[in-house]
Amino acid sequence: REVYAEETVDSVCPFCGVGCLTSVNVKDGKIVKVDGRNGPANENRLCVKGRFGFDYVASPQRLTKPLIRREDAPKRADLSLTADNYLDVFREASWDEALDRAADGLSKSFKDKGGAGIAGFGSAKGSNEEAYLFQKLIRQGFQTNNVDHCTRLCHASSVAALMEGIGSGAVTAPFTAAAEADCMIVIGARPEQNHPVAATYIKQAAKNGTKLIVMDPRGQGLMRHADYGLKFKPGTDVAMLNAILNVIISEELYDEQYIAAHADGFETLKAKIVDFTPEAMEPVCGIAAETLREVARLYATSQKSIIFWGMGVSQHVHGTDNVRCLIAMALTTGQIGRPGTGLHPLRGQNNVQGASDAGLIPMVFPDYRPVENADIRSEFEDAWGRTLDPVRGLTVVEIMDDILAGGIEAMYIQGENPAMSDPDQNHARKALTTLKHLIVQDIFLTETAWHADVILPASAHAEKLGTYTNTNRQVQIGRPCVPMPGDARADWQILIDLANRLGLNWTYDGVPAIYEEMRAYMASLANISWDRLERDGTVTYPADGPDEPGNEILFGQSFPTADGRGKIVPADLVPPSELPDADFPLVLTTGRMLEHWHTGAMTRRATVLDAIEPEPVVSMNPRDISAQGLETGQEVTVETRRGAITLTLRADRDVSKGMLFIPFCFFEAPANFLTNPQLDPFGKIPEFKFCAARIAPA
Ligand code: SF4
């Protein structure tokens, strides 16, 4: 191994929120192999993406020069998505010309419309420093809080409920706490596919005797290791969880002392939950009343119980309510704040935790400090030398709506791909086409970049220095392993170049200086200096002192709320926004697959991963396939009220009867042409997990 590589660089995996530490083996300026390193979240393990998904970095499709749209090239939402004809649409340009054009376009819209005419999407794949700079550029440069990123499509509802319930949007305990738990609930998450190394810890704990309860409308491999596998009806999370809360209260399984000391709202919950008996909820959620009782008893009476959840919980119009129920379970039973207990939303992208912490969301400055608080705002105004927007900004889907309503007319999108990831793609792509000025900064000519006026060639994760915060709150350093191709530049450098063209006079001399400025505004990072990160490579936040280890388990004594107490918020039954009917009789749910990450921009260009899963598929229960006269492997069209796509039919016994599952990573058949853009009213997250659909031979 050592002979093969010329150099080995310590870094961190670029894909999921698990944050596996890696040793990147380099030869002739290219990555030739990636090994797992002994990090706190992986102990030398890697999954198939981390191990084999690296050659996208050296793809011949990398952007190597700035591009400017040709004068005569119309913006169309339906451009054929091949990389072969891009020079018919764009011309190559110098960095000076491209940056001038980008700055002029944004400035012109700002002059015409003020901050209301501008919006920015930063990236959860970039570093903390890049997330910090991106939100600062939009806020300082354009006096607007219209800045967001893919957390809005991921765990925004979880964060809304957690901030309301316990005053913090991050996990209360790492997933490695599974080893100490007596009982684990995994709900609406498929860690074997989406957080594979975390799944190994969960399975290992189950093997060692921890009781495992898996709740998912689709079957999954983790159910083989589970004591209870609850395949509940899609969209009925609140009914199932309220029935569990009903048992906890009616059988007096709650922790009276804990509630008295730490939580408000119990009496309201008690009054509200009385009608949600397991017997009443059984026909709603499809889980036998006695099973609901057994699960409630197991969770509440175990010494130490922990809950993990994913986007099956959060991506609903009732996503915030789903999480409120989970918080209520933890607060009523005192299953939080001790080793082996807690609440853990498994974060998606490698740096979605860090990007959110750094303020890349429309409601808050870094460290979740509200933009609407005058004292906090004036602190940033003094530091940044500009008047800042006193009102929270628009979120991802709201920004697309506002463009089409004639509001926002210029956008800066760094490393995100809304032309694949936003719901109701006809609507989203039309919005991108409508923009007067669209600046896209990325490593590939993504589906979003096809709509751009200016394209800035950026850096892959393996080409730059930066910090990344994983789902466990571990801040870790990613290091440059290979040079950037052609004229590509590091994202943080491009942000500085653009900011200075906007007259912001940024003088950072490198990534450590950006980190230290960001840290000055973030109490959570107070004791984690750049030097400490350089020395230790990974530190959990918050840490009590410069040499104290980070706190893995939070909120043993109190919560970071105004009065230090948690808040139990009861939830009502809210049906999915669109129910099946005679025209669209099936339930469509979308998500990820093991080999491909999110919109596929990286993993579809990774040779091994794309060889394993090379074509768009829709999964359906084999009985439904034969009942509808279809055949596995045939081309089918899946249609909803918003669009239709054609793809290959795959039989999957894990998919319940009456359901379809489509991964959203395939540009050839983008699942989000079908999805419902209706939003959860609190987290503003779209309902990716449920809409009405039909299927027919293509
Ligand atoms: Fe990378 Fe996540 Fe796989 Fe670890 S589990 S190797 S972080 S994709």
Side-chain angles (χ1 to χ4, degrees):
R1 181 179 306 168
E2 284 73 18
V3 173
Y4 185 55
E6 290 166 343
E7 189 190 0
T8 302
V9 183
D10 287 349
S11 195
V12 58
C13 177
F15 293 109
C16 88
V18 169
C20 296
L21 294 190
T22 56
S23 288
V24 181
N25 296 263
V26 178
K27 187 168 190 259
D28 298 331
K30 284 192 176 169
I31 301 171
V32 290
K33 188 169 186 294
V34 177
D35 295 314
R37 199 153 51 89
N38 193 16
N42 66 316
E43 296 175 292
N44 301 307
R45 306 167 206 192
L46 289 180
C47 79
V48 66
K49 287 189 288 287
R51 190 168 292 284
F52 297 114
F54 56 80
D55 65 341
Y56 74 91
V57 174
S59 164
Q61 293 180 27
R62 283 289 301 274
L63 291 168
T64 58
K65 293 216 179 290
L67 299 172
I68 291 177
R69 177 174 292 276
R70 293 183 185 278
E71 296 293 323
D72 56 350
K75 284 194 192 179
R76 299 202 317 260
D78 60 346
L79 284 166
S80 61
L81 298 174
T82 71
D84 299 333
N85 60 349
Y86 75 94
L87 286 177
D88 296 342
V89 179
F90 299 99
R91 65 176 172 82
E92 292 180 347
S94 69
W95 269 105
D96 277 342
E97 185 187 7
L99 287 166
D100 284 345
R101 189 70 81 94
D104 288 350
L106 293 168
S107 298
K108 187 165 183 316
S109 290
F110 182 55
K111 197 166 162 223
D112 292 348
K113 289 202 156 181
I118 307 277
F121 291 166
S123 177
K125 300 219 72 59
S127 65
N128 288 323
E129 296 75 29
E130 289 163 349
Y132 172 76
L133 287 189
F134 192 92
Q135 60 86 38
K136 180 177 173 181
L137 186 142
I138 297 294
R139 290 189 158 117
Q140 185 190 29
F142 302 111
Q143 291 155 306
T144 177
N145 291 310
N146 291 339
V147 59
D148 208 352
H149 76 292
C150 69
T151 189
R152 196 65 44 207
L153 309 176
C154 168
H155 267 304
S157 47
S158 302
V159 172
L162 287 165
M163 292 297 289
E164 169 191 76
I166 62 172
S168 165
V171 301
T172 72
F175 59 72
T176 44
E180 296 173 88
D182 299 306
C183 170
M184 302 176 280
I185 290 179
V186 177
I187 174 169
R190 303 174 71 83
E192 281 188 328
Q193 281 78 41
N194 303 321
H195 303 85
V197 167
T200 66
Y201 288 88
I202 292 169
K203 287 192 226 176
Q204 215 164 5
K207 197 174 165 195
N208 291 336
T210 304
K211 300 290 183 194
L212 174 60
I213 302 158
V214 179
M215 302 167 165
D216 189 342
R218 277 201 288 151
Q220 55 168 293
L222 214 51
M223 285 184 180
R224 287 202 302 272
H225 306 260
D227 297 85
Y228 291 91
L230 275 55
K231 279 179 77 174
F232 61 100
K233 292 183 190 171
T236 64
D237 316 57
V238 170
M240 179 177 66
L241 297 172
N242 270 357
I244 289 170
L245 282 163
N246 175 287
V247 177
I248 289 171
I249 291 174
S250 64
E251 297 189 9
E252 299 186 358
L253 307 175
Y254 52 86
D255 184 335
E256 212 165 345
Q257 271 188 328
Y258 183 87
I259 294 167
H262 296 292
D264 295 322
F266 180 68
E267 291 306 322
T268 313
L269 175 74
K270 198 171 174 181
K272 185 104 185 171
I273 214 74
V274 76
D275 294 332
F276 291 87
T277 62
E279 288 70 23
M281 292 302 104
E282 176 179 326
V284 182
C285 67
I287 303 297
E290 192 48 33
T291 304
L292 292 168
R293 289 188 184 282
E294 289 172 16
V295 163
R297 290 171 195 144
L298 181 56
Y299 173 79
T301 62
S302 293
Q303 279 288 313
K304 293 170 284 179
S305 293
I306 189 166
I307 303 175
F308 300 103
W309 72 94
M311 275 153 250
V313 164
S314 60
Q315 290 176 334
H316 288 279
V317 290
H318 48 81
T320 303
D321 282 338
N322 292 346
V323 181
R324 284 172 173 152
C325 293
L326 300 175
I327 295 168
M329 286 167 60
L331 290 179
T332 51
T333 56
Q335 297 284 18
I336 189 167
R338 295 175 286 118
T341 69
L343 294 164
H344 189 123
L346 286 155
R347 308 310 296 251
Q349 296 270 22
N350 61 336
N351 199 39
V352 70
Q353 182 64 59
S356 303
D357 297 343
L360 200 59
I361 34 184
M363 305 85 183
V364 291
F365 293 117
D367 243 6
Y368 305 94
R369 302 167 77 197
V371 295
E372 284 159 339
N373 180 308
D375 292 340
I376 292 169
R377 199 170 57 253
S378 98
E379 183 189 329
F380 284 95
E381 286 176 337
D382 290 347
W384 294 350
R386 295 273 173 118
T387 303
L388 300 176
D389 184 359
V391 180
R392 55 176 57 196
L394 298 173
T395 58
V396 165
V397 177
E398 290 173 331
I399 285 170
M400 294 297 164
D401 293 341
D402 195 68
I403 295 167
L404 289 172
I408 290 162
E409 61 175 44
M411 275 196 81
Y412 179 20
I413 299 178
Q414 177 221 351
E416 298 242 318
N417 195 7
M420 284 288 287
S421 59
D422 275 26
D424 190 6
Q425 275 294 306
N426 281 313
H427 179 80
R429 293 188 185 199
K430 188 172 172 207
L432 292 172
T433 307
T434 304
L435 285 167
K436 279 192 186 161
H437 306 287
L438 173 59
I439 321 303
V440 172
Q441 179 172 317
D442 213 307
I443 63 173
F444 294 115
L445 207 57
T446 61
E447 293 71 22
T448 299
W450 275 99
H451 300 77
D453 296 279
V454 178
I455 301 174
L456 305 174
S459 46
H461 176 276
E463 295 159 354
K464 61 188 170 189
L465 181 65
T467 62
Y468 301 83
T469 306
N470 71 356
T471 190
N472 288 344
R473 291 182 273 104
Q474 285 145 351
V475 187
Q476 317 195 100
I477 291 195
R479 292 190 175 82
C481 310
V482 290
M484 280 171 257
D487 294 341
R489 289 186 183 173
D491 292 76
W492 59 268
Q493 185 66 60
I494 301 171
L495 282 156
I496 293 172
D497 292 342
L498 191 53
N500 287 333
R501 274 176 170 75
L502 296 166
L504 301 181
N505 300 320
W506 288 4
T507 56
Y508 308 101
D509 60 3
V511 172
I514 305 166
Y515 176 85
E516 287 298 347
E517 178 179 302
M518 174 182 75
R519 186 167 79 96
Y521 302 116
M522 297 177 67
S524 58
L525 299 180
N527 289 309
I528 307 177
S529 67
W530 180 268
D531 289 346
R532 182 177 181 181
L533 283 171
E534 278 278 27
R535 187 189 68 213
D536 297 348
T538 168
V539 184
T540 301
Y541 81 74
D544 293 336
D547 294 312
E548 297 291 327
N551 290 294
E552 292 200 339
I553 310 296
L554 295 180
F555 315 140
Q557 303 300 322
S558 64
F559 294 104
T561 53
D563 59 3
R565 292 173 67 78
K567 187 173 169 191
I568 297 167
V569 181
D572 265 323
L573 296 189
V574 175
S577 148
E578 181 183 82
L579 292 167
D581 57 18
D583 290 335
F584 295 93
L586 302 168
V587 173
L588 169 67
T589 187
T590 63
R592 294 165 290 190
M593 62 201 318
L594 171 62
E595 293 79 5
H596 289 305
W597 191 241
H598 286 205
T599 68
M602 291 151 66
T603 53
R604 294 297 311 283
R605 292 169 171 100
T607 315
V608 172
L609 300 178
D610 202 49
I612 301 172
E613 284 288 359
E615 63 170 6
V617 287
V618 51
S619 300
M620 190 177 191
N621 188 285
R623 287 192 193 174
D624 279 352
I625 291 177
S626 42
Q628 297 226 10
L630 299 169
E631 281 185 28
T632 302
Q634 84 175 98
E635 291 287 289
V636 290
T637 298
V638 178
E639 188 177 2
T640 69
R641 290 194 172 81
R642 290 155 293 281
I645 58 174
T646 297
L647 60 186
T648 303
L649 182 59
R650 177 178 284 180
D652 185 346
R653 286 178 206 288
D654 281 339
V655 177
S656 298
K657 286 182 74 184
M659 282 184 78
L660 300 171
F661 169 73
I662 303 179
F664 67 97
C665 57
F666 293 103
F667 68 86
E668 304 92 329
N672 281 319
F673 271 96
L674 310 178
T675 47
N676 188 348
Q678 286 303 308
L679 302 181
D680 169 291
F682 307 99
K684 309 279 183 173
I685 194 168
E687 189 151 63
F688 288 121
K689 287 290 184 273
F690 195 112
C691 70
R694 64 186 173 210
I695 188 168

